[in-house]
Each structure stands twice: as structure tokens, then as C-alpha cells.
Amino acid sequence: MKETQAEILCNEKLNRRYRHMKVKISDWNVSEVNPGQFFHIKTTEDNLPLLRRPFSIYRINEDNNTLEFLYLVKGVGTKKLEERKPGEILDILGPLGNTFTIHQGGKGMLLVARGVGIATLSALAFAANKADIPCFAVLSARSKEDILVEKELNEVGVKTFLVNDQDGSSDPESVRLIAEEIINHRQVDSIYTCGSKRLSVLSRELSEEYSLFAEIALEEKMGCAMGACYACVCDVREGDEIRTIRLCQDGPVLPLKKVVF
Ligand SMILES: Cc1cc2nc3c(=O)[nH]c(=O)nc-3n(C[C@H](O)[C@H](O)[C@H](O)COP(=O)(O)OP(=O)(O)OC[C@H]3O[C@@H](n4cnc5c(N)ncnc54)[C@H](O)[C@@H]3O)c2cc1C
């Protein structure tokens, strides 16, 4: 983990709510970054807001040593971040956190993502492509316009299935039908989820019913991201015990069966 002064190459609007940022790393190699990890980003050049904000790595480009992020413009920090311009320097701390488990030689993976949860899972999809593991992704969003990076995923061979709230296709029972179709007709031995409690519960049910390896990337409000402030705690089940963990230290990727929703 290091504090890096990264040059902003682009910070463009994808749609009404989301932005895409690309930064250039000059002093270390981005091959150190792995899917599931995140960076704690100082959104402004002054200290307002004081706290950094955590963002998952969306894309790791070893050819030109750049990193990409997708973010939802939400509150004070991300509103400041969207004002940052190409050429400016962004202070990023990371890579932080653990990574997804990729089974080399795995039959296939199913990603179940809601909203900007696809940022975190895309890094995994790109890695699956490199490892020749077939990848299927259910992308859920409020509206058709809010579906992110479908084209980029299709370009690397990910088969995407789109659902949204507006046409009623995103409720868990409809997503279950799509997921079961994928599991039953293609070779899938793992499931990964991010971005929705309801879809995480569904993913866990599917993993149990179809004996799939299952992981989740969790998000909690985060303060220091170094384990000191205990802002990002969540509960996990271990045997008969419930244990409280700090997501920045023990996550953000967790075995899906352990998480207490
Ligand atoms: C591991 C991880 C990965 C993420 N990846 C992405 C991503 O790829 N894309 C994306 O859009 N979003 C991602 N998020 C969510 C993103 O970090 C938040 O949406 C963002 O921090 C919102 O910042 P804001 O200032 O705009 O919103 P606000 O709601 O105004 O501020 C939220 C921030 O306030 C601070 N805060 C609030 N309450 C507390 C508290 N009790 N203790 C400590 N600090 C507090 C924290 O810094 C918190 O992050 C991720 C979150 C985590 C934990």
C-alpha cells in the first residue's frame, strides 16, 4: 500500500449518475493491483472533505500502466471528485484490501451486479477473460440508462443479461430465472456478487442449491481504511459464532456464506 500522485487522464460522464475516471501511475507497476482491491482517494486538493473515499478498481491496464474507476456521484466527496480535470494530480492510497479468488481452470463464473457494483466485478471479469474462464454477468440497475459498461464487458467475451427496475425485470425472482438458465445450460462453478443485499441473498441461495463457490464484495462507510477507526465494521458467521470484522482489513471480498445480512 502506498500513497501515489496519479495524473488524471480522463474523468468523463457516463450518464446522469455515473462517471469514469482513468489515472496514470508513474512510479510503480499496476500489475500489483488485483480484482476486488480498492483505493482510498483524496477527492480534492485541499482537505475539504477531510476523509478520503474508497473506490474499487474497475480496470487494470498493464500495457499503459493506468487504472480506471467507475463512480456514482452521490455526496460531498464524489461531487468534488467529478469536478477534477484531466492533467490534475489525484492522491490515491492503495491498493488496499483483499482480492477475489479466481480458480485457474475454472468452468465458468456468474457475476450478479447491481448498479456501480459492476465496477468491482468488472475487474474480475477482465481477469477471467485473461485466464480463459467463461464469464456471464447479470447487470441490474434502476433504469436501462443506468446499466454500466455492458459494451466493455461484451468486448472481452462476457455474456451480459440486463435487468432494470423500470420494466420490472430486476426483482430477485426474475433474476433467479435468468441465473438458473445460465447455471443449468452453461458450465458455471462460481458466483460473485456486489451492490445489492437482495441479489446477494439470492446469490447465496443459488450457491447453496447448485454447489457454487461464492464470494461477495461488500461496501460500508469507511473512515481511515487502515483498521484504526472501526467505521467499516460488519458481522460474519463463523461456526456458531458471530464475529465483527473491519472490512478494510478483512475484506472487502468475503465468502458469501459467512456474511450476516
Ligand atoms: C471497498 C469499497 C469500494 C467501493 N467502490 C466503489 C466504486 O467502485 N464506485 C462507487 O461509486 N462507489 C464505491 N464505493 C462507495 C463509495 O466509497 C461511496 O459512495 C463514497 O464514499 C461516497 O462519498 P460521498 O462523499 O460522495 O458521499 P457521502 O455519503 O457524503 O459520504 C460518505 C463518506 O462519509 C464518510 N463517513 C460518513 N459516515 C461516516 C462514519 N460513521 N465514519 C466514518 N466515515 C464516515 C466516509 O468517508 C464515507 O465514505 C465503495 C465503497 C467501499 C467501502
Side-chain angles (χ1 to χ4, degrees):
M1 184 258 291
K2 41 203 157 268
E3 187 174 353
T4 299
Q5 307 302 312
E7 183 191 346
I8 300 174
L9 298 181
C10 85
N11 185 19
E12 65 197 6
K13 222 176 174 150
L14 290 178
N15 57 34
R16 203 166 38 94
R17 303 168 66 224
Y18 295 102
R19 277 195 175 243
H20 167 235
M21 181 178 264
K22 186 171 190 174
V23 300
K24 172 94 183 153
I25 307 294
S26 304
D27 43 359
W28 51 272
N29 203 316
V30 297
S31 57
E32 290 176 33
V33 187
N34 288 296
Q37 291 191 295
F38 68 96
F39 284 80
H40 216 25
I41 296 183
K42 194 164 180 283
T43 56
T44 53
E45 284 174 324
D46 54 34
N47 287 326
L48 294 170
L50 183 63
L51 290 175
R52 291 169 182 266
R53 301 295 192 255
F55 298 97
S56 298
I57 191 67
Y58 151 60
R59 207 159 188 173
I60 305 153
N61 306 304
E62 291 181 30
D63 51 345
N64 53 17
N65 219 43
T66 57
L67 296 172
E68 295 177 52
F69 302 92
L70 293 179
Y71 65 94
L72 168 66
V73 180
K74 188 178 163 192
V76 57
T78 45
K79 282 186 182 139
K80 290 284 183 187
L81 195 60
E82 78 168 337
E83 290 169 11
R84 304 299 303 273
K85 303 271 182 298
E88 289 182 10
I89 298 299
L90 190 71
D91 185 320
I92 66 171
L93 191 68
L96 293 162
N98 63 358
T99 70
F100 289 110
T101 309
I102 299 174
H103 296 116
Q104 297 298 327
K107 285 190 201 154
M109 52 174 76
L110 171 59
L111 314 182
V112 181
R114 169 84 179 169
V116 80
I118 194 54
T120 317
L121 293 180
S122 289
L124 177 63
F126 296 131
N129 170 254
K130 275 194 183 167
D132 266 339
I133 301 171
C135 187
F136 308 90
V138 180
L139 308 181
S140 171
R142 285 189 193 176
S143 68
K144 272 187 191 162
E145 296 68 43
D146 284 333
I147 299 274
L148 296 171
V149 299
E150 180 203 357
K151 186 170 139 278
E152 288 75 2
L153 293 172
N154 293 158
E155 276 169 6
V156 298
V158 179
K159 175 102 179 81
T160 50
F161 301 81
L162 314 182
V163 297
N164 69 79
D165 301 350
Q166 271 179 350
D167 67 10
S169 55
S170 60
D171 67 278
E173 274 319 299
S174 307
V175 175
R176 171 181 272 277
L177 294 177
I178 297 170
E180 287 187 324
E181 175 80 10
I182 298 168
I183 295 165
N184 287 324
H185 292 95
R186 334 244 177 176
Q187 297 225 308
V188 167
D189 56 7
S190 53
I191 186 165
Y192 302 83
T193 189
C194 184
S196 154
K197 189 175 157 188
R198 292 195 312 163
L199 293 183
S200 301
V201 171
L202 170 67
S203 299
R204 178 150 70 193
E205 288 168 7
L206 290 167
S207 73
E208 286 165 0
E209 288 162 34
Y210 294 92
S211 304
L212 306 174
F213 173 84
E215 283 182 336
I216 181 170
L218 275 180
E219 289 183 6
E220 292 288 344
K221 282 202 165 169
M222 205 169 266
C224 69
M226 291 181 181
C229 74
Y230 285 76
C232 60
V233 289
C234 71
D235 287 342
V236 295
R237 189 180 302 280
E238 277 178 2
D240 293 337
E241 309 237 307
I242 302 286
R243 197 163 70 88
T244 300
I245 61 158
R246 291 162 295 177
L247 210 59
C248 64
Q249 298 298 292
D250 300 314
V253 179
L254 295 171
L256 186 50
K257 65 175 177 217
K258 282 194 174 185
V259 177
V260 179
F261 291 112

